[in-house]
């Protein structure tokens, strides 16, 4: 059960505030127009037929004031409707409807980003684990190389560690040729070799 405090805004409060603001706005616009007219009276026209009467000036001022008030009223009315809609949803338990729509978008983006980062993290962790296994296999196998073979192995290690891209590609191409000539490329059972 939702219990609301006594000082929460009601529709009557909001309508009262809007009406008071409109009344003050109308009075203010009328005062400004009157002040401008009294401080800067219109110049007497040499042609009496083209003179504007006080009544016409009052009508023009009233129309300008009414337009300003109407625009202000529309904005205040829209704000009051939004506030009433949210208060109604909170009172009637529809909390989800009171939350702005942009916050849903931000929440969805955050969840998708977190999911993407999580997937990427675990994928990279898995790849790293496979590389460590291959590293240990290589370290074990290189123990059995001796003499000239070991010198060739150390030379190839140096090329892959600090050699040029051309030297590395040359060894990769030679490796592919040897695998194909010995039909070793068909025997990869526990990992898929990269072609990069």
């Amino acid at each position: 059960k939702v219990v609301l405090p006594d000082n929460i805004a009601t529709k009557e409060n909001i309508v009262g505030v809007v009406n008071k603001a409109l009344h003050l706005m109308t009075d203010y616009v009328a005062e400004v127009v009157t002040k401008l007219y009294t401080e800067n009276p219109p110049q007497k026209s040499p042609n009496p037929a083209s003179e504007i009467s006080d009544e016409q000036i009052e009508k023009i001022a009233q129309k300008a004031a009414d337009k300003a008030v109407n625009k202000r009223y529309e904005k205040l009315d829209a704000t009051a409707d939004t506030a009433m809609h949210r208060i109604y949803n909170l009172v009637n338990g529809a909390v989800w409807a009171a939350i702005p729509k942009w916050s849903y978008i931000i929440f969805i983006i955050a969840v998708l980003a977190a999911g993407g980062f999580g997937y990427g993290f675990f994928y990279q962790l898995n790849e790293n684990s496979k590389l460590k296994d291959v590293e240990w296999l290589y370290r074990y196998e290189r123990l059995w190389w001796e003499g000239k073979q070991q010198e060739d192995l150390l030379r190839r290690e140096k090329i892959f560690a600090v050699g040029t891209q051309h030297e590395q590609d040359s060894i990769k191409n030679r490796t592919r040729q040897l695998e194909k000539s010995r039909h070793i490329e068909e025997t990869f059972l526990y990992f898929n070799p990269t072609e990069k």
Side-chain angles (χ1 to χ4, degrees):
K1 183 178 177 182
V2 177
V3 178
L4 294 175
D6 296 334
N7 61 352
I8 194 166
T10 63
K11 184 174 182 179
E12 291 78 22
N13 297 130
I14 294 172
V15 170
V17 169
V18 169
N19 286 335
K20 187 174 180 181
L22 291 173
H23 181 68
L24 291 173
M25 188 65 186
T26 306
D27 291 346
Y28 176 73
V29 171
E31 281 179 29
V32 168
V33 171
T34 306
K35 187 175 181 183
L36 284 172
Y37 179 71
T38 54
E39 288 178 359
N40 302 311
Q43 301 294 325
K44 293 288 183 185
S45 173
N47 184 0
S50 65
E51 239 179 74
I52 300 174
S53 68
D54 289 343
E55 284 181 13
Q56 290 174 323
I57 291 172
E58 284 180 22
K59 285 181 183 177
I60 291 170
Q62 187 59 44
K63 282 184 181 178
D66 289 345
K67 284 183 181 178
V69 167
N70 285 341
K71 286 188 179 180
R72 289 280 182 192
Y73 180 77
E74 287 171 7
K75 289 180 182 177
L76 288 171
D77 193 40
T79 305
D81 284 346
T82 303
M84 285 303 300
H85 177 70
R86 290 192 181 157
I87 290 169
Y88 176 81
N89 287 331
L90 286 170
V91 169
N92 291 318
V95 177
W96 296 109
I99 297 173
K101 291 180 182 174
W102 58 264
S103 61
Y104 288 119
I105 294 169
I106 291 173
F107 177 75
I108 290 170
I109 290 171
V111 167
L112 290 175
F117 284 126
Y119 173 78
F121 173 77
F122 286 111
Y123 176 80
Q124 201 62 38
L125 192 66
N126 188 29
E127 288 294 310
N128 196 28
S129 175
K130 289 178 185 176
L131 287 174
K132 284 181 182 176
D133 291 342
V134 172
E135 176 194 347
W136 279 104
L137 176 63
Y138 175 73
R139 285 172 67 179
Y140 176 77
E141 291 297 326
R142 74 191 294 266
L143 293 173
W144 304 105
W145 293 61
E146 294 180 5
K148 177 83 169 107
Q149 291 177 333
Q150 192 174 32
E151 289 176 19
D152 288 340
L153 177 66
L154 294 175
R155 183 182 56 78
R156 287 190 295 271
E157 282 182 358
K158 182 179 178 184
I159 288 173
F160 275 103
V162 294
T164 65
Q165 187 69 41
H166 178 70
E167 291 173 325
Q168 292 173 2
D169 288 343
S170 175
I171 292 177
K172 289 178 186 178
N173 289 335
R174 183 70 180 135
T175 303
R176 288 187 193 104
Q177 290 171 358
L178 290 172
E179 285 175 346
K180 191 168 187 177
S181 68
R182 298 179 190 174
H183 302 291
I184 296 175
E185 83 273 11
E186 301 169 2
T187 62
F188 293 115
L189 301 177
Y190 300 105
F191 71 97
N192 293 320
T194 178
E195 290 300 318
K196 293 180 182 177

